[in-house]
Amino acid sequence: MHNNIAMLRVAALDVGSNSVRLLVADVRGGLFLPVLQDRITSRLYAGLKDGMLHPDSIARTADAIGQLAQRAREAGATEIYGYGTSAMRDGQNRDVLVQAAADMGVSLELLSGHQEAALSYLGAAPDGRAGVVDIGGGSTEIMAGEQGKVLAAASAQMGAVRLSEQMKDIIAPDEMVHRAMAVLAPIYAEVRHVPVDGWIGIGGTITSLAAMDLQLASYDAARIEHHPVTAELAHAWLIKLCGMTMKQRQQVTGMNPARADIMPYGTAILCAFFALSGAQQLLASDKDALTGSLLERFINLK
């Protein structure tokens, strides 16, 4: 049926507060097949002051965009689409990064918090009545909907990197959770009226907790997909991580060493979500706004 429709290999770049992520996929008609995933930790949010992104953070991120765009082209991608999230929303000088990306052939779109939430929900595309929580480096989105369609979504400027910088790297589990709850409570209130039968969790904190629970020596998206992450597990890891040195955290099986410094803060945000929602667990998913952005752009979903 699809023989007369050309297969298109496309790529999306997610320019986040903590890292730049790449997804290359083949699309044809209604078919979507991921081909390549990659990421480079660039910490765009680090050093943001008075609404201005730090030149070093911009340079690191621009370099990461260039490297990942080159990998996408080498993989055969004919179109590369890019978007920015929380750190770029904050940075009044984001045009410097937008221009640097354009010079490398990547057009960067700035997503609002609600646009990011909608794409994340589309990417996770849970069946039935489900909620999705997405913990990023600079923001957290909470969404609820049905059959892959988001019915309510809200975004808060509270992520693993942001909380780390706010607390000046102080490790105090109760205070971390308390701060996160104060920021997440208003956005949870915006979605709680939509009934959900279960929750999906996306973002590096949640997929890392799943990988740590599974003790994966190397990242395995297939094994992480829909692995349960419980409130009990998140709380246990929060206490454990807060009691470790940086070196000890980096050596945890399943931990991406580049996330070791912010992992306690992301975990605290997840604990805050569990406390607010009363949920006892969520299912980890590797599918997020990157998947959603390509689905929206290249797949006819209607």
Side-chain angles (χ1 to χ4, degrees):
M1 182 176 176
H2 294 284
N3 291 343
N4 62 341
I5 302 175
M7 182 72 80
L8 188 64
R9 181 159 290 187
V10 296
L13 285 170
D14 176 307
V15 181
S17 301
N18 184 56
S19 58
V20 181
R21 300 182 302 124
L22 167 70
L23 173 62
V24 179
D26 285 337
V27 294
R28 182 178 66 182
L31 302 178
F32 179 90
L33 180 66
V35 172
L36 171 70
Q37 295 183 69
D38 207 346
R39 74 170 63 214
I40 296 174
T41 299
S42 62
R43 294 283 164 92
L44 180 59
Y45 183 80
L48 185 141
K49 188 175 181 182
D50 298 326
M52 302 297 280
L53 297 165
H54 195 282
D56 291 347
S57 300
I58 291 175
R60 284 194 306 271
T61 303
D63 183 61
I65 291 169
Q67 289 185 53
L68 291 174
Q70 182 59 31
R71 288 175 202 174
R73 293 185 185 104
E74 289 170 356
T78 55
E79 291 191 45
I80 304 175
Y81 159 70
Y83 62 84
T85 58
S86 178
M88 283 185 64
R89 288 195 288 269
D90 281 0
Q92 296 168 22
N93 56 340
R94 58 179 159 296
D95 286 352
V96 178
L97 181 58
V98 171
Q99 185 58 54
D103 291 343
M104 293 179 284
V106 178
S107 177
L108 275 187
E109 175 189 1
L110 179 66
L111 297 184
S112 70
H114 276 76
Q115 285 175 312
E116 183 182 358
L119 289 180
S120 293
Y121 196 87
L122 177 60
D127 294 326
R129 301 188 306 181
V132 175
V133 57
D134 180 359
I135 299 172
S139 66
T140 294
E141 284 72 45
I142 302 177
M143 306 136 259
E146 194 167 355
Q147 296 304 119
K149 299 288 186 183
V150 66
L151 298 176
S155 177
Q157 294 292 75
M158 169 58 70
V161 179
R162 193 181 297 267
L163 181 58
S164 168
E165 296 220 342
Q166 280 184 10
M167 297 199 66
K168 309 298 182 192
D169 298 321
I170 295 168
I171 294 287
D174 289 347
E175 186 181 347
M176 290 154 64
V177 174
H178 179 73
R179 284 209 193 189
M181 282 184 72
V183 179
L184 294 189
I187 69 164
Y188 180 67
E190 290 186 43
V191 303
R192 67 184 304 164
H193 66 281
V194 179
V196 301
D197 298 325
W199 288 91
I200 305 285
I202 56 182
T205 291
I206 292 166
T207 55
S208 293
L209 284 169
M212 288 153 60
D213 190 42
L214 288 163
Q215 297 190 318
L216 298 180
S218 59
Y219 193 81
D220 186 337
R223 290 192 63 192
I224 284 168
E225 195 65 25
H226 286 187
H227 181 75
V229 174
T230 65
E232 184 180 5
L233 177 77
H235 185 260
W237 268 115
L238 175 61
I239 301 303
K240 197 179 297 186
L241 290 167
C242 286
M244 290 179 171
T245 64
M246 186 72 68
K247 187 174 181 180
Q248 288 171 329
R249 279 186 229 148
Q250 290 172 335
Q251 293 171 344
V252 171
T253 304
M255 169 83 77
N256 175 354
R259 292 192 70 85
D261 58 335
I262 61 169
M263 194 64 193
Y265 301 95
T267 305
I269 294 170
L270 179 58
C271 288
F273 164 77
F274 279 130
L276 286 167
S277 66
Q280 293 304 303
Q281 71 165 33
L282 48 71
L283 302 180
S285 178
D286 194 60
K287 299 180 176 69
D288 55 23
L290 263 178
T291 302
S293 68
L294 289 180
L295 286 172
E296 182 187 62
R297 241 176 132 75
F298 297 105
I299 299 287
N300 183 0
L301 295 164
K302 294 179 183 178

